[in-house]
Amino acid sequence: MRRLAPLLLLLALPPAAWAQVAGGVPAFTVTPGPDGTATWSVSVQILLFMTALTLLPAILLSMTSFTRIVIVLAILRQALGTPTTPPNQVLIGLALFMTLFIMSPVLGKAWEEGVGPYLDGTLAAEPALERSLAPLRQFMLDQTRESDLESFARIAGIERLEAPESVPMTVLIPTFITSELKTAFQIGFMVFLPFLVVDLVVASVLMSMGMMMLSPMLVSLPFKIMLFVLVDGWTLLMGTLAASFYT
């Protein structure tokens, strides 16, 4: 109890006394720099960092190659006729590591130009954030269709785009997601066609033999799996997805 008494006394102190105990350091400070930038206090930086962590899943889904990859993999699973194999955990893990593989040049450039200098103390927070987002913005612009960009700019009330680099992130992100969905369904259509041909052939053969009570999906499933394995489908599909991005 004697050892716990000082701790209980500190916990009972009001916030003002806590500030005095901590040396009077304010929780929120902004120090202007000579070049017009501002340096935030450590508490504000920690708050912004924790907020960014909560937005990490949304950033992964909406600003990287994850959306296209996971949709194509889901369409492939439906085309094979195995709605639960591979399981969702395997598809998500494969999509995550493929996203890391594709986005590694972008993330490396963002680290070299923005995050690294900020951690070294040679760059303020605001310019570091702008430099870190620049490679990601360029990546999204490379994957975005001009027609989609013009449509969303018109919806946002932007009459004329001087350059693609001047597009605000609030317009670029939904445009990028729309373009990714369109591209993913186009790739999924090309993936679906060979398996659809196998289903049609098997259904025609069974109907000609009078075996109408036998499910064509049950018969065509081993043939589709064998076809996918013989052409080395996983390597071919992953290579095609990686080559479809411009990093």
Side-chain angles (χ1 to χ4, degrees), residues 10 14-15 26 31 48 61 64 72 85 101 124 128 135 141 164 175-178 182 190 202 221 240 243:
L10 287 176
T31 305
L48 294 177
L61 289 173
T64 64
V72 172
T85 305
F101 172 75
L141 284 173
T175 308
F176 171 73
I177 297 174
T178 304
K182 187 182 299 183
M190 300 302 296
V202 171
L221 178 58
T240 303

Side-chain angles (χ1 to χ4, degrees), residues 4-86:
L4 293 177
L7 178 61
L8 295 176
L9 181 61
L10 287 176
L11 293 176
L13 291 176
W18 268 101
Q20 294 179 0
V21 173
V25 179
F28 181 82
T29 57
V30 179
T31 305
D35 54 351
T37 60
T39 302
W40 301 328
S41 59
V42 177
S43 58
V44 178
Q45 296 179 17
I46 295 175
L47 177 62
L48 294 177
F49 177 73
M50 298 302 294
T51 304
L53 287 181
T54 60
L55 297 176
L56 186 60
I59 295 174
L60 176 65
L61 289 173
S62 58
M63 300 175 66
T64 64
S65 59
F66 180 83
T67 301
R68 183 189 305 185
I69 297 171
V70 75
I71 290 177
V72 172
L73 292 178
I75 294 177
L76 170 66
R77 188 171 61 177
Q78 293 294 328
L80 283 172
T82 56
T84 58
T85 305

Side-chain angles (χ1 to χ4, degrees), residues 16-181:
W18 268 101
Q20 294 179 0
V21 173
V25 179
F28 181 82
T29 57
V30 179
T31 305
D35 54 351
T37 60
T39 302
W40 301 328
S41 59
V42 177
S43 58
V44 178
Q45 296 179 17
I46 295 175
L47 177 62
L48 294 177
F49 177 73
M50 298 302 294
T51 304
L53 287 181
T54 60
L55 297 176
L56 186 60
I59 295 174
L60 176 65
L61 289 173
S62 58
M63 300 175 66
T64 64
S65 59
F66 180 83
T67 301
R68 183 189 305 185
I69 297 171
V70 75
I71 290 177
V72 172
L73 292 178
I75 294 177
L76 170 66
R77 188 171 61 177
Q78 293 294 328
L80 283 172
T82 56
T84 58
T85 305
N88 291 331
Q89 293 84 350
V90 175
L91 293 187
I92 295 298
L94 180 58
L96 283 174
F97 281 99
M98 278 296 298
T99 301
L100 180 62
F101 172 75
I102 294 171
M103 299 294 297
S104 56
V106 179
L107 298 177
K109 190 175 181 180
W111 179 273
E112 294 177 359
E113 297 182 357
V115 181
Y118 173 72
L119 295 178
D120 295 338
T122 59
L123 193 64
E126 294 182 3
L129 180 61
E130 294 179 359
R131 294 187 182 183
S132 300
L133 288 178
L136 191 59
R137 171 191 286 271
Q138 187 61 44
F139 172 80
M140 290 190 290
L141 284 173
D142 292 339
Q143 318 305 321
T144 302
R145 293 175 173 82
E146 294 184 2
S147 58
D148 296 338
L149 191 59
E150 293 175 356
S151 299
F152 275 89
R154 184 173 62 254
I155 295 173
I158 302 176
E159 298 180 356
R160 184 179 179 182
L161 293 174
E162 298 180 357
E165 291 76 11
S166 62
V167 179
M169 294 294 289
T170 54
V171 176
L172 179 58
I173 293 177
T175 308
F176 171 73
I177 297 174
T178 304
S179 297
E180 285 294 286
L181 291 175

